[in-house]
Every structure is written in structure tokens, then in C-alpha cells.
Amino acid sequence: MLTVDPYIPLALWFPLLLAVLAAIVAYAFVLRKRATKSARRGIVTLMSLAAALPMIMLLNPTWVKELPPPAGKPLLTILVDRSASMATTEGEQTRYRQAVQVANEVADDLESRFELRVRAFDGGSDTIELEQFDGQNLDADATNLATAIEDSLDERPQGQAILLLSDGIHNAGGGANRVRASVEKARAMAAPIYTQTIGGQANVDDLEVSLALPQEMAFAGQTLPVEVTLRQRGRLTDRVTVSLVLDGETIEEQEVALQPDGTAEATLEVQQADAGLYRFEVKVSEHPNEVTTLNNSTTLLVRVVDEPVRVLVLEGKPYWDSKFLLRMLASDQAIDLTSIVRVGDDRFIRREIHNTSAASANTAGEETDTAEGDATATTREQTWDVLDSVDPLFADPDWLDGFQVVVLGRDAEVYLNDNRIEQVKRWLAEEGGAMVCMRGPPASVLSERLGGLMPVRWSPATEQRFRVELTESGQGMAWLPATGGGLQSLPSLATMAHPESPKPLAVVLASAAGSSSATEPVITYQPIGSGRVVVVEGAGMWRWAFLPVEHQDRDDVYGHLWRSLVRWLVSSTGLLPNETRAVRSDKVTFDPTERATATLLVRETQAGEPLEVELSGDALDQPQRFPTSPAGDTPGQFRVVFGQLPEGRYQAKVVGSPGDESGATTAFDVKGNLSERLSIAARPDMMRMIAQGSGGEVIEPGDRAALAAKLQQQLEDNFPTRVERVPAWDRWWVLVCVLGVWAVSWGFRRRAGLV
């Protein structure tokens, strides 16, 4: 078939044709006196033909040839979920049996028109035969829809589709975004996914205990409140007992009222007089009818130190934000606080708050708030003075080394010239310090050196107000409040600088509500050597500590967040003042399917020593030793990989460390993923997103007869008839004809004496 596809618009081609015809008519008129009638007729005919051929080529005549379809039948992959949640019985059958029944019926209907492939999946996926359905184990602790979809995509140019039979639960890493990326890949490969949701809104009966912070740090003798969240699924009981246990001995018990399908909070108190690592267990009473008792207890690691964390706050001018932050930090006995606030030109107020014993405070004539007769109790002592300049402080190259955390407010450029920025950079990289920018950019104009330390870049903008929500990474961080979803209900923050996309190594923990974390970061951090830099966007967070009556239930979020942030920074970077080495597990609880890892920090003077970490636990026959490897180019920082471990409780210790060096010991648990047993409500919304995002459809139960027609129509719509297009210019004989006509026309005119 021959078609045209003009190189130029027809609105231009027709005037050009008229111009060519007019030129030929004019030339024929001129030839009346120069050539005979027969010669004129021949010349005009040949010139008309020579001009017509290029005009025809401008229309781009193209030969269209239909290609034969690919050999074989189109491919249909049937994906059947075999995870633990599919063992849920609804009606007379389990979800898995319902899915197998649908798969067999579809196979019987479509095997004559499609090439069928059957795959079963849970955390992974593999190809099976229809006869192997009965031999599948439904005990997997995770469902990974993303991996199942990607493993099913065949590298075919066309002619494939997927039928997904699942309850729609995805509890593997990456969340819904990971599934969405796999769906987009399927759409790009023209592989529509048809989904049928198996199961309904089933629930289980269960009691669960969890901690806002599974890792805590306290000063020796300090009373540490531990926030415990209790959750009841179903209607098991109206009251439960929560207890705090250490080394098999119950330290404290509380009775808590609990509503059906509700949550309740309790506060337990921990106090230890001696420094060390203490492994507590928080338990909730068991009920004989609950689905599992594995989540009736959880581990609390408390590292008690006898030297507090030293925090330095540098503020360019007094702000409400810094006032409330200083008040909160000053109330924490685990923190020695130094603040420097610029109140005028060449005038700085330095305030120091640290721990002291009641006996020494009374000797000095100071008032204390300790109990009468407790002469050894710890109290807080405060001193302040006025400085004309901070130059003498920074002149000492080791001054910053006395702090573990530095908090920068706004207008902090007065403290950070180029030389001091180099000091800060060395302190971060070599000493493992942590720097926190509490209200976005620490200076109105960031120098190149200071900007290089920041995890994000900023651009000027008009004032914007926003609320905060956690990203997926933020929800997994231990220092953020357990009620992170409630951050959106807190007062909004304001910013005059728009944070742009974070840098490659940066991690976004919170974003502006309703936006993606990649474009509107609110809390971001990035590593600098063995240290970290954290940026908290927005002014006005002080209002979180001064909430109106309707938000009094969240009155502790502000203090909780900042105290947890300081502890997270200190526990994950750098060594405490009295530590020569420290090992820290990267998580308190690992999954059996992931590698358990830890970080080992040593003083630089000891970094050359060969180091090993000994792992012991109730699931190991005997302690095992693991080598360490350098963590990049950072001196004194090492990584240890324990690998995948069976479920149990473990303790890791640096080989050769003194028994009283608490930092050289850490502990962690390995527990299976309970999501498959507890969150068993089907997710038709997830299945709908998969179908619509890939170009497929949702198949309702009982609509099996129409499935074949839908698949066939989908394949026809997505894969139209293939054709081959060959333009006339690509044919050699066309070019020869054009050149031949031009040559004959020129020769005829020359013979007539016109050239």
C-alpha cells in the first residue's frame, strides 16, 4: 500500500506547485520564437516531468507493508500468593485455596488461546506447575508484591499479560512506592496486570507492646521515663498488666485499661546508679486466645553513663525557638549544656548548665531541689558570663572536641568564618561529632565551605508555612516519636528559604505534609566522616512545646523529639568522653531475613589494633567471633557483619575490652516479621492501584468468563498490527528515474540550441 506523508505542509506545497506551473507556462511562451512547435512541445513536456518528480517527492510517498505477527501464543502469567496471610480461613476455605481454585479455572478456560505460566510468591517467587499447588508451604513471614511482579516480566517485545491473585498485602521493604515502581516497569513493557483480590477485612485477636524508643541513654542516678504503647486487636480483655523486667526480676508493674481494637499508653520509670548497658524487657500479660505471644514483650536497651553528653548551642540572636530548646535541654540530667547567644555587637552571653552533687552545691551556698537528707543526689548548677568575643574560644583547636553535639541557630555566620568551618569539619569527620541546624540554613548567605557541609541546598523564596509528616525512612528511625503520624496536627512551621533536592548521601526523615520527600525535605541528615549533620527546617517549633488545650495530649512531642535526636546522634556517632571503644548494633531488632550489623568506634590512637567482636546468644551453641573491616576512609570506625541469624536474643562485645567498659558491649534481638499474622485485612486498594497503573483491570469474583475477552482486547489495543514503512527516496530506481528525466530534458534542450 502506498501512502503519503508530506515533508512540508500542504498549505505550502500547493502554492509551490502553482509557482512551478506558472514558470513552465512562462518558459513555453518565451520559446515561441526560439524553437519549432514540435520542439517546444517536447521541451515543455520533459521540463514538466522533471519539475513534477521533485514535487511528488515532497509529498513523501511511502510503501507500507504489513508484517506477520510474532510466532506463538501471547503469554499469560498467573501469580498466586502463598504467604502466611493467605492461610486465613474465610467461609469454608482459606484464601490460598480460593486463589488456587481461580487459577485452575482460568487455566482451563485460556490454555487454548494463551501460553500459560504459573508462579507462586511470598517474599520471593518461583515458577511452579499447576499440580504443585497443593505442596506449597504457607509459612512465609513477608509478602513482596514488587518482586513478584518484576520476576514475572518476560523480555518479550509484545504479547504478555499478568493475572495477580492475592489479598494485596505488601509488607516487604520499600512500601507502596516500591510496588508502584514495579507497576510502572510493567506498564513500560506493555504487560498489563489483571488483579483479583482474595479475602476480606478479617481481623485477629492479639495483645502487643511496643516502645517509642527501644534504645535510651540516661545519666547515672537519673530517673528515666519509658513510654510504652499497648495495643489490643479484637476484644480479648478490658485490662492488662504491663511490667518492666531486668535479669528475670520484675522492677515495676502497672495495670492499664484497654479498649477493644484500641491503644493505651503507660509510663514506666528506670533508674540505675552505676554506668553500664542494661537490657530490660517490657512485657504485657498474655491471653490464651490471642493469635501469637511473640509481640507480648519487647527489649529496652538503656545505656547509663556517668559522664553526661556535652551539647553546645550557638545562636546569632535571641529567638523563641532557641529559648524553648535551651529550656528543654537544661532539664535533661544526661546533658551538660553550654549556650552562647549574641545579644549585640561584641556582646555574647555564655550560659553553662551541668550536673553537680547536692553536697557540693550546698557547700557553695546554692539552692537545690533534691530531697532532704539526700546529700549525694544530683542537681543542676548554672553559671553565666558575658563575652566580648568568641575568638579566644575558637583559638583553642581542641575546644570543640569537648562537645559531642553542636546546635546552630539562625544568623550563626558570626561564629563560622572559613577557619572555624575547617575546625568544625575536622571535628565532624575525625571526632565523630554531630551538628544540628535547628531552623534551616544557619546563615542568611551560606559560604561555599559551610554549604558543603549541609545535606540540602536552599533557594530564596517568600514565606511558606507547612506541617510535618514522616517519610518511610523517618518512620523507621528510633528517635522520632511513636505518634509520628500526629505531627501533621501540630502547629505549622515557617520558612523563608526553600530547601531543594537533598544531596546524594543525604537521608530525608520528614517532609512537608502532602509533598514528596525528594522536593520538600523538613528533617534531613548526611554523614560527614564519622559524624553527621542534621537540618531541621522551619521556624516556630517552639509552639510545639506550648500547645493549646485541644492538643495537650501531644504536649510531650517537642521534648521527646529533641531529647531523642540528641541520644540518637550520640549513640550512632562518636565516642562518649569516657569511652575508648564502643560497639553499637544498627538496630535493636533485626528480621531473620536481613543481615545483622553493628558499628565499632575506637579512639584514633587505637585504630591500628586488630579488633574482633564476639557474639553470644541463646540461639548459638557457643560464642562466635567476627572480624571488623574499616568503614570507608574514616579513621577509628569499623563495620562488623554478623549475617543472617536465627530468632533469639544476642549480645556483642569487643574482644579484649575491660569488663567495666560498658560502651564495648551492645545487645539486639532477632524476631520474625509478625505482619503476616497480625495485619491480615485484604488490600483491594493496593490491587486496584496495581491494575490501573499497569494498564490492566480489576477482575471481580465470578467475572472469569469475561477475563479471556478482556485479555484478548487488551492485547489488541496495546499491540497494534506491525508494519514496515519504506519511503520512495529509499528505492534506487526512483532516484535513477528522476536523474534520467533531468538528463534527457537537459540533452533535448541542448540539441535544440537552447543551452
Side-chain angles (χ1 to χ4, degrees):
M1 181 175 62
L2 187 65
T3 63
V4 294
D5 185 15
Y7 287 117
I8 62 176
L10 292 178
L12 179 61
W13 186 85
F14 280 109
L16 184 60
L17 177 63
L18 293 176
V20 170
L21 293 176
I24 293 175
V25 170
Y27 187 71
F29 183 79
V30 172
L31 288 180
R32 289 184 305 165
K33 298 180 180 180
R34 301 181 59 185
T36 63
K37 185 176 181 180
S38 60
R40 288 200 311 271
R41 188 180 297 110
I43 291 173
V44 171
T45 301
L46 288 173
M47 289 188 64
S48 298
L49 184 60
L53 290 175
M55 294 299 298
I56 294 173
M57 290 302 101
L58 286 177
L59 293 175
N60 188 25
T62 302
W63 281 273
V64 179
K65 179 182 179 182
E66 184 174 331
L67 298 177
K73 302 175 183 177
L75 173 64
L76 174 63
T77 301
I78 302 177
L79 271 175
V80 179
D81 190 344
R82 63 178 176 197
S83 59
S85 63
M86 295 294 286
T88 303
T89 300
E90 293 180 314
E92 298 180 355
Q93 289 183 318
T94 63
R95 293 177 178 177
Y96 179 72
R97 294 310 310 171
Q98 296 177 39
V100 169
Q101 181 177 344
V102 174
N104 285 322
E105 292 173 350
V106 169
D108 292 340
D109 288 348
L110 303 181
E111 61 182 351
S112 61
R113 282 176 282 180
F114 290 86
E115 175 189 344
L116 295 180
R117 180 175 60 182
V118 181
R119 297 183 66 88
F121 70 94
D122 38 49
S125 70
D126 52 68
T127 302
I128 65 172
E129 300 295 332
L130 290 171
E131 296 78 12
Q132 296 178 297
F133 273 136
D134 292 336
Q136 302 300 308
N137 295 321
L138 307 181
D139 56 0
D141 290 335
T143 305
N144 195 331
L145 291 173
T147 297
I149 292 172
E150 293 185 6
D151 290 348
S152 302
L153 295 177
D154 194 270
E155 296 296 333
R156 292 191 176 196
Q158 69 174 35
Q160 61 174 321
I162 298 173
L163 173 61
L164 176 60
L165 304 174
S166 171
D167 53 19
I169 297 173
H170 173 81
N171 47 38
N177 289 335
R178 176 76 174 85
V179 178
R180 193 172 288 108
S182 301
V183 170
E184 291 174 355
K185 181 178 179 181
R187 189 182 189 93
M189 295 182 62
I193 303 174
Y194 294 85
T195 65
Q196 181 168 326
T197 304
I198 308 295
Q201 299 302 305
N203 293 307
V204 297
D205 292 327
D206 181 70
L207 296 174
E208 179 182 2
V209 61
S210 61
L211 297 173
L213 291 174
Q215 294 189 79
E216 268 285 15
M217 184 176 63
F219 188 69
Q222 176 189 5
T223 299
L224 177 70
V226 178
E227 299 179 10
V228 180
T229 301
L230 306 171
R231 178 179 181 184
Q232 177 175 209
R233 296 178 175 88
R235 295 172 173 267
L236 288 171
T237 182
D238 59 352
R239 304 193 73 81
V240 295
T241 301
V242 58
S243 55
L244 181 67
V245 180
L246 176 63
D247 297 331
E249 180 182 353
T250 300
I251 305 299
E252 182 182 358
E253 282 188 347
Q254 287 187 23
E255 193 174 72
V256 181
L258 198 54
Q259 297 294 325
D261 291 316
T263 60
E265 294 184 353
T267 301
L268 304 175
E269 293 186 347
V270 173
Q271 185 183 51
Q272 293 295 323
D274 300 324
L277 179 68
Y278 296 87
R279 184 175 193 160
F280 293 88
E281 190 173 10
V282 181
K283 295 183 176 181
V284 63
S285 53
E286 298 180 1
H287 194 281
N289 295 331
E290 59 181 319
V291 66
T292 179
T293 60
L294 294 178
N295 56 350
N296 285 58
S297 64
T298 187
T299 296
L300 169 67
L301 291 182
V302 178
R303 191 177 300 277
V304 178
V305 298
D306 50 13
E307 290 195 29
V309 178
R310 297 189 177 98
V311 178
L312 171 65
V313 178
L314 300 176
E315 183 63 89
K317 65 174 67 172
Y319 286 101
W320 280 108
D321 279 310
S322 57
K323 181 178 179 66
F324 274 80
L325 178 62
L326 292 174
R327 186 182 69 172
M328 186 278 303
L329 295 176
S331 65
D332 193 337
Q333 289 184 342
I335 294 176
D336 269 3
L337 176 64
T338 298
S339 67
I340 301 177
V341 181
R342 184 188 184 209
V343 293
D345 295 338
D346 300 328
R347 185 176 176 84
F348 300 83
I349 294 181
R350 177 172 61 180
R351 181 186 178 198
E352 295 183 345
I353 302 175
H354 57 272
N355 293 325
T356 185
S357 66
S360 61
N362 288 330
T363 300
E366 300 216 3
E367 295 183 0
T368 70
D369 56 359
T370 57
E372 183 179 354
D374 188 2
T376 61
T378 300
T379 187
R380 305 286 277 172
E381 180 180 353
Q382 177 178 174
T383 62
W384 66 276
D385 58 348
V386 178
L387 305 176
D388 296 331
S389 173
V390 293
D391 292 340
L393 301 178
F394 285 96
D396 180 1
D398 298 327
W399 180 63
L400 277 179
D401 296 348
F403 301 97
Q404 285 80 56
V405 180
V406 172
V407 180
L408 297 180
R410 291 294 300 270
D411 306 314
E413 57 266 28
V414 65
Y415 302 102
L416 300 174
N417 56 33
D418 288 345
N419 291 333
R420 295 171 186 171
I421 292 174
E422 288 301 316
Q423 286 182 253
V424 172
K425 188 175 181 179
R426 179 199 61 80
W427 171 74
L428 288 167
E430 299 179 7
E431 298 298 324
M435 184 168 70
V436 181
C437 301
M438 63 176 293
R439 286 197 304 279
S444 54
V445 178
L446 292 179
S447 65
E448 183 176 351
R449 292 187 179 181
L450 182 56
L453 299 178
M454 299 293 109
V456 295
R457 299 180 178 89
W458 290 271
S459 59
T462 57
E463 180 177 328
Q464 299 178 3
R465 303 202 69 86
F466 58 89
R467 284 182 165 81
V468 182
E469 66 179 354
L470 301 184
T471 64
E472 185 174 335
S473 298
Q475 292 172 356
M477 298 303 297
W479 63 267
L480 290 168
T483 56
L487 294 178
Q488 298 183 37
S489 65
L490 295 177
S492 61
L493 306 179
T495 181
M496 293 290 291
H498 176 70
E500 299 176 347
S501 298
K503 295 179 181 178
L505 296 179
V507 179
V508 179
L509 303 178
S511 63
S515 68
S516 65
S517 59
T519 56
E520 294 290 343
V522 173
I523 302 178
T524 316
Y525 81 88
Q526 77 169 358
I528 302 290
S530 60
R532 285 178 177 171
V533 175
V534 180
V535 171
V536 181
E537 301 288 347
M541 191 175 286
W542 66 270
R543 294 190 296 158
W544 291 15
F546 199 65
L547 295 175
V549 176
E550 61 267 22
H551 293 300
Q552 288 300 309
D553 58 328
R554 303 189 183 278
D555 196 44
D556 61 341
V557 170
Y558 178 83
H560 185 116
L561 188 147
W562 282 104
R563 282 192 296 269
S564 303
L565 172 58
V566 171
R567 283 162 171 74
W568 173 70
L569 290 172
V570 173
S571 64
S572 58
T573 63
L575 291 160
L576 296 177
N578 62 339
E579 292 180 337
T580 60
R581 63 188 71 189
V583 61
R584 291 154 184 162
S585 59
D586 294 335
K587 295 169 63 176
V588 173
T589 304
F590 292 93
D591 190 275
T593 61
E594 63 179 331
R595 298 189 306 170
T597 57
T599 300
L600 174 63
L601 303 174
V602 300
R603 293 293 179 192
E604 188 174 355
T605 55
Q606 300 178 352
E609 297 180 5
L611 295 170
E612 289 183 320
V613 175
E614 183 178 87
L615 181 69
S616 59
D618 52 16
L620 301 177
D621 295 334
Q622 59 182 7
Q624 300 179 8
R625 292 190 175 186
F626 293 85
T628 61
S629 58
D633 299 328
T634 305
Q637 187 170 350
F638 301 86
R639 296 287 293 164
V640 56
V641 179
F642 303 114
Q644 293 183 351
L645 298 171
E647 295 187 29
R649 305 178 70 188
Y650 297 88
Q651 179 170 310
K653 181 178 181 180
V654 182
V655 176
S657 59
D660 59 349
E661 191 170 16
S662 63
T665 304
T666 190
F668 60 88
D669 295 338
V670 177
K671 290 185 177 181
N673 184 1
L674 297 179
S675 297
E676 282 288 332
R677 306 183 192 183
L678 301 178
S679 302
I680 62 173
R683 293 286 307 276
D685 56 327
M686 176 70 76
M687 299 289 277
R688 187 180 305 108
M689 182 273 291
I690 293 174
Q692 295 176 351
S694 64
E697 291 184 31
V698 175
I699 305 300
E700 300 297 336
D703 199 17
R704 178 173 50 86
L707 178 60
K710 291 182 179 181
L711 288 173
Q712 191 66 45
Q713 184 62 44
Q714 184 72 44
L715 293 176
E716 292 176 359
D717 293 342
N718 284 351
F719 315 116
T721 303
R722 297 189 305 163
V723 296
E724 180 183 29
R725 297 178 179 273
V726 182
W729 280 112
D730 285 352
R731 301 297 179 96
W732 65 268
W733 54 268
V734 173
L735 182 61
V736 169
C737 289
V738 172
L739 295 177
V741 170
W742 286 357
V744 171
S745 176
W746 182 85
F748 197 85
R749 292 176 62 229
R750 181 177 178 81
R751 184 176 179 181
L754 300 176
V755 178

